[in-house]
Amino acid sequence: MADFIHIYQLPLILLFFMIGSVGALLLFKFAHRSKAWELADVIWVALGGLGAVVAIAVGIYQEDSTALNRQVTVAYTASRDFDTDAARFRLRYCNDVSEDELQKLCEKVEYLSASSASNTALPLFVSVTERRAPLEGFTLLFKDRDDMDTMEQAAAQLEEAEFLAFDTRDVPTVMALKDIAPTRPEIAADYRVLALTYDALIEDVSALREAWEVLQSGRALLILQFVAICLVAFAAPFRLGRTIDGLI
């Protein structure tokens, strides 16, 4: 049902408007200057109040959507920062490794980089960021069916996707840092900076997924908005007819 509304929302709104127009014409023909026009006016006022309430509710959803877009930007920035730090660490210290402690740190950085690449490839990053729109969002324009299918598929993959996060300070890593710090303090310092960047990235991506879940929990508001628009489209011809009736 939601897919049907999503695809044919503009024709449905026009259909309600046409039905209202036919009803208004019938009132002109059979109920001229009667209380029917006053009743139509009352209905218009009531639907206007409903539309105002729905607009407030949907405004909350739009705020959640804006928060998601901001969080996408934050997560992408953190991802780029970590990728830069990881690439710099590997180029400086991991080309020709002789110490066992440094080998452990380089392997750890490889694991962290792999998890970062996997998380950045999540459908949440790809689909939401490219479209900057909520899944199954309602607009007043025709939507391409293939595009909607792609969004739904991405959401389904997101539910099944594995979120990878490694501990940057496990026991072997801490021991390697302790051993290498006296002789190569710059390596220990660079890794600690890298670890902080990775931890920030994991927090930002986790917050991004939470923002997505909050946004999806409010999708019913979009359907309510569509219903309110249809009702207002139905009542608009009656309100116009009421005004015309008062002028003639």
Side-chain angles (χ1 to χ4, degrees):
M1 180 63 181
D3 289 345
F4 177 82
I5 295 176
H6 181 79
I7 297 173
Y8 298 107
Q9 52 191 300
L10 182 57
L12 287 173
I13 293 173
L14 294 177
L15 176 63
F16 273 87
F17 180 79
M18 291 177 62
I19 293 174
S21 299
V22 171
L25 291 175
L26 291 176
L27 280 182
F28 265 116
K29 185 174 182 180
F30 298 108
H32 187 60
R33 294 189 181 281
S34 69
K35 289 188 177 181
W37 287 119
E38 296 178 4
L39 178 60
D41 208 20
V42 171
I43 294 175
W44 169 257
V45 173
L47 290 179
L50 174 63
V53 173
V54 171
I56 295 173
V58 174
I60 299 174
Y61 185 91
Q62 296 299 331
E63 290 178 0
D64 292 337
S65 178
T66 301
L68 174 65
N69 288 336
R70 287 198 302 265
Q71 192 59 42
V72 166
T73 302
V74 170
Y76 256 120
T77 301
S79 178
R80 287 195 300 268
D81 291 343
F82 171 76
D83 290 341
T84 300
D85 289 344
R88 184 184 298 113
F89 188 93
R90 290 195 299 268
L91 288 174
R92 283 182 177 179
Y93 310 117
C94 299
N95 288 329
D96 186 13
V97 180
S98 57
E99 302 96 329
D100 291 340
E101 293 79 8
L102 181 56
Q103 180 66 37
K104 292 178 181 179
L105 293 179
C106 289
E107 291 177 355
K108 190 65 175 181
V109 172
E110 290 293 338
Y111 279 115
L112 299 180
S113 297
S115 68
S116 173
S118 177
N119 293 334
T120 306
L122 287 175
L124 177 62
F125 269 103
V126 178
S127 294
V128 178
T129 308
E130 287 180 353
R131 292 167 177 79
R132 294 289 183 175
L135 178 66
E136 295 182 5
F138 287 81
T139 65
L140 296 182
L141 300 174
F142 290 103
K143 291 287 288 184
D144 183 80
R145 178 67 199 182
D146 293 337
D147 183 66
M148 188 177 69
D149 289 342
T150 301
M151 292 285 284
E152 292 174 349
Q153 183 180 4
Q157 292 174 357
L158 175 61
E159 296 297 329
E160 302 173 357
E162 181 181 0
F163 179 68
L164 299 179
F166 292 107
D167 184 7
T168 57
R169 299 172 183 82
D170 55 4
V171 175
T173 304
V174 171
M175 294 302 296
L177 287 172
K178 182 178 180 181
D179 292 339
I180 204 172
T183 57
R184 303 288 299 275
E186 72 279 5
I187 296 179
D190 284 349
Y191 179 83
R192 291 189 178 97
V193 171
L194 179 66
L196 291 175
T197 306
Y198 181 82
D199 293 340
L201 170 61
I202 295 303
E203 291 179 2
D204 290 334
V205 175
S206 299
L208 176 59
R209 297 192 70 166
E210 291 176 2
W212 172 260
E213 292 171 358
V214 169
L215 187 68
Q216 293 309 289
S217 65
R219 283 183 297 170
L221 291 174
L222 296 176
I223 298 179
L224 181 61
Q225 181 188 37
F226 172 76
V227 172
I229 291 174
C230 286
L231 293 177
V232 171
F234 171 78
F238 290 97
R239 184 63 185 89
L240 178 61
R242 175 73 172 85
T243 302
I244 295 175
D245 181 70
L247 294 175
I248 60 177

